[in-house]
Amino acid sequence: MAEVSVKCPTCGMELKAPNEEELGKTFKAHTHEVHSMEMSEEEATQKVKMMRSGM
Ligand SMILES: [Zn+2]
């Protein structure tokens, strides 16, 4: 199965998911749980896409 990943811009932790949509959810959960940041799922997915295109 193909896998996508991004590094958290705040702590550098690598987050992985089967696709970009899931990765958005993973990123949202990570920033909420670890960094107490609030963002919508749409915003999280946008950031994931931006980070991935920047790599
Ligand atoms: Zn982090």
Side-chain angles (χ1 to χ4, degrees):
M1 197 202 299
E3 199 173 60
V4 292
S5 70
V6 289
K7 278 189 178 160
C8 171
T10 308
C11 69
M13 183 177 166
E14 193 167 28
L15 306 169
K16 291 180 183 173
N19 57 55
E20 250 179 10
E21 193 179 312
E22 288 298 315
L23 192 55
K25 291 178 189 173
T26 303
F27 181 59
K28 179 182 188 288
H30 170 83
T31 53
H32 181 69
E33 285 165 22
V34 182
H35 306 300
S36 302
M37 286 162 66
E38 291 287 348
M39 67 175 83
S40 69
E41 207 164 281
E42 195 181 355
E43 200 178 344
T45 305
Q46 285 287 321
K47 290 194 179 193
V48 162
K49 285 182 179 174
M50 271 170 54
M51 287 189 281
R52 294 197 71 229
S53 64
M55 276 199 265

